[in-house]
Amino acid sequence: MKVRDAMTAQVITVRDTDSVLSGLKVLVKEEISGAPVISAEQGLIGMVTEFDLLLAIDHVGEEFPISRVMHKEVVSVGPDMDLDDARRLILSHNYRRLPVIDGGKLGGILSRRDILRIRFGI
């Protein structure tokens, strides 16, 4: 089985120019704990979690840009990667989600939940 068989193709993203509060609102509304950060020029440039955003609100304020609190070193996978290899990557590094890059562009996201859904039919 490949990553493309389990990934979510409809990816919820936030913009690098969004404030931490607006990013947090997106995550809460969509019931997700983190999201890829995109820019108009470069596409995927980072990842951010609800923890990152809550911490930023407490320390630097609600209007601080997401680009200043996101994780810039992003590990990604391709859609043709073996799903078991992606699962091992998630588990060995304690990632909750991995962006899926297809043809240089964000093509999906693979989360722990996606793997559970496929592997155990949950």
Side-chain angles (χ1 to χ4, degrees):
M1 190 166 283
K2 302 294 182 187
V3 165
R4 77 171 65 256
D5 301 320
M7 71 181 200
T8 300
Q10 298 287 333
V11 183
I12 306 301
T13 61
V14 293
R15 299 294 298 247
D16 59 334
T17 55
D18 290 345
S19 71
V20 294
L21 180 60
S22 65
L24 192 57
K25 286 179 179 179
V26 169
L27 298 185
V28 170
K29 178 182 176 233
E30 299 296 335
E31 299 179 342
I32 57 176
S33 62
V37 181
I38 59 170
S39 76
E41 304 81 33
Q42 298 171 311
L44 177 68
I45 59 168
M47 295 289 285
V48 72
T49 68
E50 61 191 356
F51 180 81
D52 300 326
L53 298 175
L54 283 170
L55 194 61
I57 286 172
D58 283 350
H59 291 282
V60 293
E62 298 175 355
E63 296 305 315
F64 207 67
I66 286 177
S67 62
R68 303 279 304 273
V69 300
M70 69 184 184
H71 299 270
K72 294 177 182 169
E73 293 183 21
V74 178
V75 174
S76 62
V77 294
D80 294 322
M81 181 182 219
D82 187 79
L83 188 58
D84 280 337
D85 291 338
R87 180 184 59 81
R88 282 190 286 277
L89 182 62
I90 285 173
L91 292 174
S92 66
H93 296 296
N94 198 27
Y95 296 136
R96 292 186 183 267
R97 68 201 58 78
L98 294 171
V100 180
I101 304 299
D102 190 7
K105 296 187 179 194
L106 182 62
I109 193 124
L110 179 69
S111 69
R112 291 177 184 175
R113 186 154 299 161
D114 293 328
I115 293 170
L116 291 172
R117 182 176 42 80
I118 291 296
R119 190 160 184 200
F120 300 106
I122 298 173

